Amino acid sequence: MDDTVSADAATHVLGIDSGGSGVRVGVAPADIPGGSAAKPLTWSSATPAGVGDRGIDAAALLARVLPAARELLREAGARRLGAVCVGAAGMATLGDDLRARLPDAFADAFGVRRLALAADAVTAYAGALGQRPGAVVAAGTGLIALGAVPEDRTARRGGTDGAYGTEGRGAGAGGGVAAGGGAGIGWAADRTADGLTADRTTGGRTTDRPTTDRPTTDRLPGGWRRADGWGHLLGDCGGGAWIGRAGLEAAMRAHDGRDGGSKPLLARLEAVFGPAAELPGKLYPRADRPAVLASFAPEVGRCAAEDPVAEGILRDAARHIAEAAEAVCPRLESSVVALTGGLFRMGAPLLTPVREELAARLPGTRVTEAAGDPLDGALCVAAALATDELRLPRDPGLLTVV
C-alpha cells in the first residue's frame, strides 16, 4: 500500500476520545508548530465503546468512528490524514484489540501510517498542557494525577533546594526528596526507605512527619509519573465519589445523632434520595455506586458556605488533590499544574482550598485551568506526530506510536 502522505493531507489530523461518557471524533488542521491543532470539526456519541473478551472492542469502535471521520474529512475539505491519535480509557489494560487492529484499519481507510495510541490520562494531559512539563489533576467521579517532562526538557542540577538529585534518594536543605536517575529530573515525592507507601494522614488530618517520608507514586518509565486513579475502593482520594461518600456519611451521622454529623447534608440527602434509612437499600445493589456517590458531591459544595462539616470535607479533598499533584509534578522552573475534569466545576468551595494547598506544597508553581479537554489532547498528539514534533514520553501502557 502507498504509505506516502500528500502535503495537503498532512495538514489534517484525526483525534478520537473514547471514555466512560461516550466517544468523540475530531478533525483539524495541524498547522501550528510544536504540535497544536486549530479548532476542530467534531462528532460525538453518548454511547461508550463496548468491552468484550479482548478488552475494548476494536471492530465496534471502528464501525462508529470511521464513517464519522470520513464525513468530518469531507467537511474539512481534506481527503487524507497526516496522523491519528486514539485516546481511550483502559488503553493499558483493555487495549489489546485496539493495538492489534487499529493500525491496519486506519491505513486501509485513510492511507495514514502515523498512529498514536494513548491512555485517556495522557490525552487529558495533552489537552490541558500540550507538551509543556508539569502535572495534570483530572478529577470527576474518580481522580488521577499525571506528571511529565517532555523529551527535550532537562531539569536543573545542583543547587540547595533539595528538589533534584542525580542518583537514588536524598534530602536537600529544604528537606525535599530527590528521585534520581541519570536524567537528573526531580519529583516531589518518593517511597519510604522500606519501599512502602508513606501515609501522611491519620484520621483525616496531616501528621507532623519528616518531609523525606512522603507518599509514593507509581513509577512509570519514559518520563511519566502517576499518582492515584486506583478506583473508589482503593483511592481516588478527593474525587467526586470520595467527596460524595464523605458527605453522605456526615448526613448519616446526623441521622443517628453521632458526632461529626451535618444536618444540612442530611436535609440534602433526603431531598435527593428520600428517607435516610432507605439509602443503603438503594445504593448497595447499584452497579454504578461510584457515580451515585459522586452525584452527591455538588450538594456538599452547596452546603460548604454555611456548614463547617461540608467545608471540612472539601478542605480534606483539597489536601488529597494537592498531595497527588505534589507527588507527580516535576521540579522544573517552568512546571505548571493544570486542573481538569467535571469536579472542578464546583467552583470556589473546592477551588479556593485546592489553590491554597497547592501554593503551600508547590510554591512558585503556576496553577491553571486546563486549556482543553481529552479530545483536544488527542488532536494535539496527532498534530505533533504529523509534524515530527511529538515530545511527550513514550510508554508501553500510556503512549505508543505505531
Side-chain angles (χ1 to χ4, degrees), residues 10-395:
T11 62
H12 287 82
V13 293
L14 172 67
I16 297 170
D17 171 41
S18 174
S21 59
V23 177
R24 297 185 298 158
V25 180
V27 168
D31 56 1
I32 302 175
S36 296
K39 185 175 180 178
L41 299 173
T42 63
W43 171 91
S44 65
S45 167
T47 304
V51 178
D53 293 340
R54 295 193 62 192
I56 302 168
D57 188 335
L61 181 65
L62 287 165
R64 296 161 64 191
V65 303
L66 290 181
R70 290 190 184 97
E71 177 60 23
L72 294 175
L73 287 168
R74 186 192 64 78
E75 293 180 24
R79 293 180 301 167
R80 296 176 66 194
L81 294 168
V84 178
C85 174
V86 179
M91 180 67 78
T93 56
L94 299 173
D96 287 349
D97 200 29
L98 299 183
R99 285 184 282 270
R101 302 187 63 169
L102 263 55
D104 287 343
F106 284 114
D108 291 344
F110 303 115
V112 62
R113 296 290 185 179
R114 295 184 177 188
L115 170 65
L117 299 174
D120 59 338
V122 170
T123 52
Y125 183 101
L129 292 180
Q131 300 197 87
R132 290 178 290 167
V136 171
V137 180
T141 297
L143 184 140
I144 187 171
L146 199 66
V149 177
E151 292 172 354
D152 63 343
R153 302 280 185 172
T154 56
R156 297 193 308 265
R157 295 178 183 267
T160 59
D161 62 359
Y164 295 90
T166 56
E167 190 66 34
R169 298 174 67 248
V177 173
I185 295 170
W187 302 88
D190 212 328
R191 297 184 184 272
T192 56
D194 61 4
L196 299 176
T197 301
D199 184 359
R200 303 182 68 190
T201 63
T202 301
R205 294 289 181 261
T206 303
T207 59
D208 293 328
R209 294 173 58 172
T211 54
T212 53
D213 199 16
R214 295 193 175 190
T216 185
T217 56
D218 191 23
R219 288 180 178 274
L220 297 173
W224 293 104
R225 187 120 174 174
R226 165 187 170 161
D228 214 335
W230 305 124
H232 75 292
L233 293 179
L234 299 178
D236 287 356
C237 298
W242 187 97
I243 292 172
R245 196 215 63 81
L248 290 170
E249 179 190 346
M252 298 306 291
R253 284 178 172 273
H255 173 266
D256 296 345
R258 291 180 287 153
D259 289 345
S262 165
K263 290 184 178 179
L265 288 174
L266 176 59
R268 295 311 307 152
L269 181 158
E270 293 180 334
V272 174
F273 296 108
E278 297 178 7
L279 179 60
K282 295 178 179 179
L283 176 63
Y284 293 149
R286 295 280 293 263
D288 59 344
R289 284 187 297 274
V292 176
L293 294 172
S295 72
F296 197 69
E299 304 297 337
V300 179
R302 294 184 186 104
C303 292
E306 299 180 356
D307 178 25
V309 174
E311 180 189 20
I313 291 171
L314 295 184
R315 287 203 169 273
D316 285 347
R319 174 173 50 79
H320 285 303
I321 291 168
E323 284 176 349
E326 180 189 24
V328 303
C329 188
R331 292 299 206 228
L332 291 168
E333 290 181 350
S334 57
S335 290
V336 179
V337 174
L339 307 175
T340 187
L343 183 65
F344 294 115
R345 288 198 291 269
M346 186 183 296
L350 180 61
L351 285 173
T352 296
V354 165
R355 290 181 179 276
E356 291 173 353
E357 287 281 348
L358 288 171
R361 293 173 179 276
L362 295 169
T365 299
R366 187 165 64 90
V367 180
T368 184
E369 294 182 2
D373 62 21
L375 180 59
D376 296 314
L379 289 164
C380 171
V381 171
L385 184 61
T387 56
D388 293 320
E389 292 284 345
L390 184 60
R391 302 190 306 272
L392 294 175
R394 312 296 204 275
D395 177 88

